[in-house]
Amino acid sequence: MIYQRVALIGLGLIAGSMSLAIRRGGLAGETVGTARSAQTRDTAREIGLCDRIVDTVAEAVAGADLVVLCVPVGAMAAVAAEIGPHLAPGATVTDVGSVKQAVIDAVGPHLPEGVHFVPGHPIAGTEHSGPRAGFPELFDSRWTLLTPLEGGDPEAEAKLRALWEGMGSFVESMDANHHDLVLAVTSHAPHLIAYTMVGVADDLRRVTDSEVIKYSAAGFRDFTRIAASDPTMWRDVFLSNKDATLEILGRFTEELFALQRAIRTGDGEHLHSFFTRTREIRRGIIEAGQDTDAPDFGRRPKSSS
Amino acid sequence: MIYQRVALIGLGLIAGSMSLAIRRGGLAGETVGTARSAQTRDTAREIGLCDRIVDTVAEAVAGADLVVLCVPVGAMAAVAAEIGPHLAPGATVTDVGSVKQAVIDAVGPHLPEGVHFVPGHPIAGTEHSGPRAGFPELFDSRWTLLTPLEGGDPEAEAKLRALWEGMGSFVESMDANHHDLVLAVTSHAPHLIAYTMVGVADDLRRVTDSEVIKYSAAGFRDFTRIAASDPTMWRDVFLSNKDATLEILGRFTEELFALQRAIRTGDGEHLHSFFTRTREIRRGIIEAGQDTDAPDFGRRPKSSS
Ligand SMILES: NC(=O)c1ccc[n+]([C@@H]2O[C@H](COP(=O)([O-])OP(=O)(O)OC[C@H]3O[C@@H](n4cnc5c(N)ncnc54)[C@H](OP(=O)(O)O)[C@@H]3O)[C@@H](O)[C@H]2O)c1
Ligand SMILES: NC(=O)c1ccc[n+]([C@@H]2O[C@H](COP(=O)([O-])OP(=O)(O)OC[C@H]3O[C@@H](n4cnc5c(N)ncnc54)[C@H](OP(=O)(O)O)[C@@H]3O)[C@@H](O)[C@H]2O)c1
């Protein structure tokens, strides 16, 4: 047992998976959850997502030695302001937001003296959301990044690290700004690009939606999965990681223009050598256990692992 | 049994999967295969990929009532020129190339009178290639598009359709130019975009490859799968479907600029409504059985189906 009482604020995919992973690992004496809407709280009660579901954030954080903010990045400031006065002295506050510097700026000012703030981000997700989306294996063999503040409490960080490891995750610490750049590359830019491509396909007059759907197995399908993610979450991510995302998209556009030019001029050598280079990274991902190379073509019966 | 003897020219992912699917369905009296390199032919012999592996295309097509060209699009003309003189009268020639008008232009002129040419394209694949990559289920529940020529033989088309259905595929016929536009949307543009994004990630100085690999589960991973496809195949696809690919990429860039602008100006409403629209297509793809919505996060043990 690492914490006596873990309070989860927001009960979606991430909070739900955390609660189930904490239960699986026996990592907390008790989990208490709350969400904005009565509907989400009712669902969470019905499926027994936490040991206790309460109606207000004040109740949720009272007496908790760990409080986890599991709401969209744009909602972090308001939630932090609400919990601030109710936090137990010595408690640790963390979050799971996909952007880190903006969350530090939003949350930090609302936390009282004597409370430890250790921002975090599990690099694991699916395109589903809400209280029914969680499952205990979500963090297994995935990385969680902590972006501790300068002068923060090393013990608070070590305990939080132990919790994430207990939930199956690998853990690394880094600077918040570096986190935001790394995620702009591995997540934020790819999501925007996927959203864009799916939007374009949906817009074409000369190709019907039904054709796009039927023939999606030729590559397009892989884009629709990430473009089915929650719109609010992603709006907040882009608005709060503007600079890094725009920097990467700028590089992307530059490179795309070079490849378009190679297509137009018939420069097969440029294309071939570019396409050869990109295979290495895939190999690295398989070797690192972050994907399988099974010929996974979406025909398997639905399963939960 | 639909054909007496099927000749497969080229023995990679698609030819291998066809041979195994034909065997599974008992769809041909005999399959005969050949490939350019002795190494590929030896491997194919070793694993018993076809009933017979021969050393020359002349031997392969002799007496075959169906000949399937399974080589990269850019190699179709040369292969067609080579087989032309050896084709049996009344035989059907088809291909599996990912672009159709260019293949028609390349192959047509080399086929003698009395031979039926019915171009085709199975919308199914993986990122793997070579004679060991094939598996008999590849075409199950996927679509195959035929792009028959005007004035072609309806009986030859019907038999080929029956073969693809026997291999587990759904079949539709359409005009070659429309095919090329549809595939530019569902396959060619997405592949170029994925290659570009993976190339950009590989190029950055401030983010290491090892970071990109470790944190790839946040979205990037889905791009690397399609960006690991065979460079020669894809070079040929882009060079032979230039106009449609460049048209779609133009639309894509336009839309991407609008979204980048929305990020820069903080227009959350534009982003949110765009991201909401794209979820529908995903639902359509799941309902059409072209993907599952299992939380597939690449942690499963390797399996062959
Ligand atoms: N999804 C992923 O792949 C992923 C991965 C890593 C990190 N994250 C981060 O994890 C956090 C939660 O994501 P999730 O996927 O778990 O989201 P989710 O399933 O959509 O759940 C979000 C929760 O936040 C609540 N909420 C939304 N807006 C709120 C507001 N303005 N004020 C108070 N509560 C609000 C919702 O309450 P109601 O249900 O009552 O509306 C819901 O309980 C986000 O910061 C996201 O960036 C997500
Ligand atoms: N992969 C997919 O996802 C997919 C899906 C649908 C359609 N297609 C189309 O199917 C065709 C074959 O693709 P594949 O994935 O099966 O490819 P593959 O696994 O790379 O196999 C290609 C075969 O073509 C032979 N070949 C390559 N260049 C040649 C040349 N210049 N002259 C003669 N033979 C040559 C190779 O011979 P060696 O082994 O001796 O070098 C090999 O046997 C392509 O036209 C592609 O567009 C592919």
Side-chain angles (χ1 to χ4, degrees):
Chain A
M1 198 167 83
I2 297 168
Y3 292 98
Q4 295 297 327
R5 183 181 297 169
V6 175
L8 300 163
I9 313 299
L11 293 170
L13 168 72
I14 301 297
S17 299
M18 286 185 75
S19 189
L20 298 171
I22 286 172
R23 187 174 292 163
R24 180 186 71 175
L27 306 172
E30 186 189 34
T31 57
V32 184
T34 192
R36 176 179 54 172
S37 69
Q39 200 194 330
T40 295
R41 295 191 303 266
D42 286 347
T43 303
R45 277 192 192 100
E46 191 191 317
I47 62 178
L49 198 62
C50 300
D51 298 332
R52 218 155 31 95
I53 302 291
V54 297
D55 288 342
T56 66
V57 295
E59 276 177 89
V61 307
D65 47 349
L66 179 70
V67 175
V68 192
L69 309 181
C70 304
V71 298
V73 170
M76 293 282 181
V79 169
E82 223 184 324
I83 61 168
H86 307 284
L87 292 167
T92 295
V93 173
T94 187
D95 75 295
V96 297
S98 306
V99 178
K100 297 271 56 81
Q101 190 55 55
V103 169
I104 290 171
D105 296 342
V107 170
H110 298 290
L111 303 184
E113 283 282 323
V115 161
H116 309 295
F117 181 33
V118 187
H121 177 208
I123 313 295
T126 74
E127 69 277 27
H128 303 300
S129 54
R132 291 186 192 278
F135 53 102
E137 300 87 5
L138 179 63
F139 310 111
D140 286 349
S141 304
R142 292 288 167 266
W143 289 84
T144 296
L145 297 178
L146 302 181
T147 61
L149 306 176
E150 239 176 281
D153 183 41
E155 209 185 303
E157 186 188 337
K159 264 181 94 166
L160 184 61
R161 177 182 275 263
L163 180 78
W164 280 109
E165 289 173 349
M167 290 191 287
S169 187
F170 309 124
V171 182
E172 197 135 305
S173 296
M174 60 171 65
D175 168 79
N177 279 309
H178 187 64
H179 166 280
D180 290 353
L181 180 66
V182 170
L183 269 289
V185 180
T186 59
S187 181
H188 308 169
H191 270 82
L192 195 76
I193 288 165
Y195 274 121
T196 305
M197 186 63 227
V198 176
V200 166
D202 185 38
D203 249 9
L204 287 174
R205 292 272 166 81
R206 289 191 290 141
V207 178
T208 66
D209 273 9
S210 129
E211 287 176 318
V212 167
I213 287 168
K214 280 184 343 198
Y215 313 132
S216 62
F220 183 72
R221 198 182 63 168
D222 291 344
F223 281 45
T224 63
R225 203 184 64 72
I226 68 178
S229 303
D230 185 62
T232 303
M233 167 182 162
W234 283 99
R235 176 200 63 198
D236 287 4
V237 166
F238 295 122
L239 294 183
S240 59
N241 197 20
K242 244 182 226 203
D243 294 347
T245 305
L246 291 174
E247 179 190 335
I248 301 304
L249 291 172
R251 292 291 313 273
F252 170 84
T253 312
E254 219 174 85
E255 203 68 74
L256 185 62
F257 282 160
L259 290 169
Q260 275 177 275
R261 197 194 156 93
I263 294 176
R264 200 183 306 278
T265 62
D267 185 350
E269 233 168 278
H270 180 92
L271 296 173
H272 194 277
S273 78
F274 194 93
F275 300 164
T276 303
R277 215 152 55 75
T278 53
R279 299 186 107 173
E280 276 305 310
I281 285 208
R282 176 71 184 167
R283 241 187 300 273
I285 287 174
I286 310 269
E287 279 161 18
Q290 297 303 303
D291 207 347
T292 69
D293 71 346
D296 181 6
F297 39 93
R299 249 184 243 97
R300 280 209 203 78
K302 208 177 150 165
S303 86
S304 65
S305 72
Chain B
M1 197 167 81
I2 298 167
Y3 293 98
Q4 296 296 328
R5 182 181 298 169
V6 174
L8 300 163
I9 314 298
L11 292 170
L13 168 71
I14 301 295
S17 299
M18 287 184 74
S19 188
L20 298 172
I22 287 172
R23 187 175 290 163
R24 179 186 71 175
L27 306 172
E30 186 189 36
T31 57
V32 184
T34 192
R36 175 180 56 171
S37 69
Q39 200 194 332
T40 296
R41 296 193 301 268
D42 286 347
T43 303
R45 276 191 193 102
E46 189 190 318
I47 63 177
L49 199 61
C50 300
D51 297 334
R52 217 154 32 92
I53 301 290
V54 297
D55 289 341
T56 67
V57 296
E59 276 177 90
V61 307
D65 48 350
L66 178 69
V67 176
V68 191
L69 309 181
C70 305
V71 298
V73 169
M76 294 281 181
V79 169
E82 222 183 325
I83 63 169
H86 308 283
L87 292 166
T92 294
V93 172
T94 187
D95 75 297
V96 296
S98 305
V99 178
K100 295 274 53 83
Q101 191 55 54
V103 169
I104 292 171
D105 296 343
V107 170
H110 299 288
L111 303 183
E113 284 280 325
V115 160
H116 309 294
F117 181 33
V118 187
H121 176 207
I123 313 294
T126 76
E127 69 276 27
H128 303 298
S129 54
R132 292 186 192 276
F135 52 103
E137 301 88 4
L138 179 63
F139 311 111
D140 286 349
S141 303
R142 293 287 168 267
W143 289 84
T144 296
L145 298 179
L146 303 180
T147 61
L149 306 176
E150 239 176 283
D153 182 40
E155 210 184 302
E157 186 188 337
K159 263 181 93 164
L160 184 61
R161 178 182 274 264
L163 180 78
W164 279 109
E165 290 172 348
M167 290 191 285
S169 187
F170 309 123
V171 183
E172 198 135 305
S173 295
M174 60 171 66
D175 168 78
N177 279 309
H178 188 64
H179 167 279
D180 290 353
L181 180 66
V182 170
L183 269 289
V185 181
T186 59
S187 181
H188 308 167
H191 270 83
L192 195 76
I193 289 165
Y195 274 121
T196 305
M197 186 63 227
V198 176
V200 166
D202 186 36
D203 250 9
L204 286 174
R205 292 272 167 83
R206 290 191 289 142
V207 177
T208 65
D209 273 10
S210 129
E211 287 176 317
V212 167
I213 287 167
K214 279 183 345 197
Y215 312 133
S216 63
F220 183 72
R221 198 183 62 169
D222 291 344
F223 281 45
T224 62
R225 202 185 63 74
I226 68 180
S229 302
D230 186 61
T232 303
M233 165 182 163
W234 283 99
R235 175 200 63 199
D236 286 4
V237 166
F238 296 121
L239 295 183
S240 59
N241 197 19
K242 242 181 227 203
D243 295 347
T245 304
L246 291 175
E247 180 191 334
I248 301 303
L249 290 173
R251 292 291 313 272
F252 170 84
T253 312
E254 219 174 84
E255 202 67 76
L256 185 63
F257 281 160
L259 288 170
Q260 276 177 276
R261 198 195 153 92
I263 293 175
R264 202 184 303 277
T265 62
D267 186 350
E269 233 168 278
H270 180 92
L271 297 173
H272 194 277
S273 77
F274 195 94
F275 299 164
T276 303
R277 215 152 56 73
T278 51
R279 301 186 106 173
E280 276 305 310
I281 285 207
R282 176 70 186 169
R283 241 189 301 274
I285 288 174
I286 310 270
E287 277 160 20
Q290 296 305 301
D291 206 346
T292 68
D293 69 347
D296 181 4
F297 40 93
R299 249 183 242 98
R300 279 207 205 79
K302 210 176 150 165
S303 89
S304 67
S305 71

